Amino acid sequence: MLTNEQASLMLSRLISYCKDYSLKVSDDSLRVCIQHLDLVLEANKSTNLTRILNVDDAAILHILDSLVLLPYINKAPEGALLDMGTGAGFPGIPLTIASGRKATYIDSVGKKVDAVNSFVKELGLKHAHAVHDRLEEYARSHKKQFAVVTARALAPLPVLVEYASPFLKDGGFFVITKGNPSDDELQSGMAAAKICGYTTLLTDDLNLPNDLGHREFIILKKSRPSSVSLPRANGMAKKNPLA
């Protein structure tokens, strides 16, 4: 558990980082984000949720690395958020705290989903929940139910755009964050995006503090129906990418 001194120091650093990155996040929201991280680190003692155990690095690589997506989330149409491959609830839970959106967090690992649902309850996030399911299966019963979908470090770009497409409402945003994607991945991802009915709104990038990594953002808008029927059969996105 974080000590009061650690939590106070983390808050002051996060306030400073948010100013540096022009992120409008209230101090109260940052406190809840810190509480979430504290719950993750405690749960990690019995369930493998994160390899980042240094609390200073975790503040950047979990909380800040999630919140840097907030400007794109806030520009998306009104409606619910889906975080694909949520893991310990990043970036989904910090974005829910900061944006106030209704949210669903999905993961294929049951222990992680159980942990995230316990975090949601502890944090009092009344309009959020985690589900244990394959993305393809969940998409079959939740088509066009989300205004914004997020993904971080989950799969290659062509796979991600296929997974997200059936979930999005018309005009919905897919917000993707990547470390250092190759030119080949970007090219194939953009080709798959066209097939799946997206237009590219913008691309952006930044460097995290303390040399903790480079991030590239790709923001796609669901602007037309996919030219192939989605979702495809389980596993097809990875076995036979669209591009």
Side-chain angles (χ1 to χ4, degrees):
M1 298 289 286
L2 295 174
T3 66
N4 290 338
E5 184 178 355
Q6 285 176 314
S8 178
L9 182 58
M10 187 179 293
L11 176 62
S12 64
R13 287 176 176 169
L14 285 170
I15 290 170
S16 178
Y17 293 145
C18 284
K19 288 180 181 178
D20 291 343
Y21 290 89
S22 300
L23 303 174
K24 296 181 180 179
V25 186
S26 70
D27 292 3
D28 284 345
S29 291
L30 290 175
R31 288 187 183 94
V32 182
C33 289
I34 291 168
Q35 184 184 356
H36 170 218
L37 178 59
D38 196 14
L39 292 170
V40 170
L41 294 175
E42 185 65 23
N44 198 62
K45 295 174 182 178
S46 58
T47 302
N48 184 23
L49 296 173
T50 180
R51 292 173 291 179
I52 303 163
L53 302 180
N54 179 285
V55 293
D56 294 328
D57 289 351
I60 294 171
L61 290 170
H62 284 323
I63 299 176
L64 182 64
D65 199 20
S66 298
L67 292 175
V68 290
L69 301 180
L70 185 63
Y72 314 115
I73 302 300
N74 286 340
K75 290 177 182 177
E78 289 186 8
L81 176 149
L82 175 69
D83 184 27
M84 302 194 308
T86 195
F90 300 110
I93 288 180
L95 291 174
T96 302
I97 293 164
S99 72
R101 286 183 186 259
K102 180 179 179 180
T104 299
Y105 321 118
I106 186 168
D107 204 281
S108 62
V109 180
K111 288 184 178 181
K112 292 181 179 180
V113 170
D114 290 343
V116 170
N117 274 323
S118 73
F119 304 155
V120 166
K121 183 177 180 180
E122 184 73 21
L123 297 171
L125 303 179
K126 296 180 180 179
H127 301 293
H129 70 287
V131 295
H132 178 212
D133 207 346
R134 292 182 65 107
L135 287 163
E136 302 98 325
E137 290 292 338
Y138 197 66
R140 290 186 176 92
S141 57
H142 292 79
K143 289 186 177 182
K144 294 189 175 184
Q145 291 195 11
F146 297 93
V148 58
V149 175
T150 55
R152 184 179 81 154
L154 176 62
L157 194 53
V159 178
L160 292 178
V161 298
E162 179 175 343
Y163 281 158
S165 180
F167 289 114
L168 283 166
K169 296 179 178 180
D170 296 338
F173 285 17
F174 184 24
V175 178
I176 310 158
T177 177
K178 284 274 184 178
N180 290 286
S182 67
D183 289 341
D184 285 346
E185 181 182 358
L186 290 171
Q187 185 175 356
S188 59
M190 292 303 99
K194 290 181 180 179
I195 295 170
C196 292
Y198 299 97
T199 54
T200 303
L201 280 183
L202 63 92
T203 58
D204 205 350
D205 70 294
L206 58 76
N207 292 312
L208 293 171
N210 302 340
D211 296 320
L212 284 176
H214 177 74
R215 295 293 181 265
E216 297 191 21
F217 309 123
I218 302 162
I219 318 303
L220 304 175
K221 180 179 179 180
K222 188 67 189 296
S223 57
R224 60 188 180 277
S226 171
S227 60
V228 298
S229 180
L230 297 175
R232 291 193 286 167
N234 292 352
M236 285 296 292
K238 288 185 176 181
K239 292 177 184 176
N240 186 22
L242 293 172

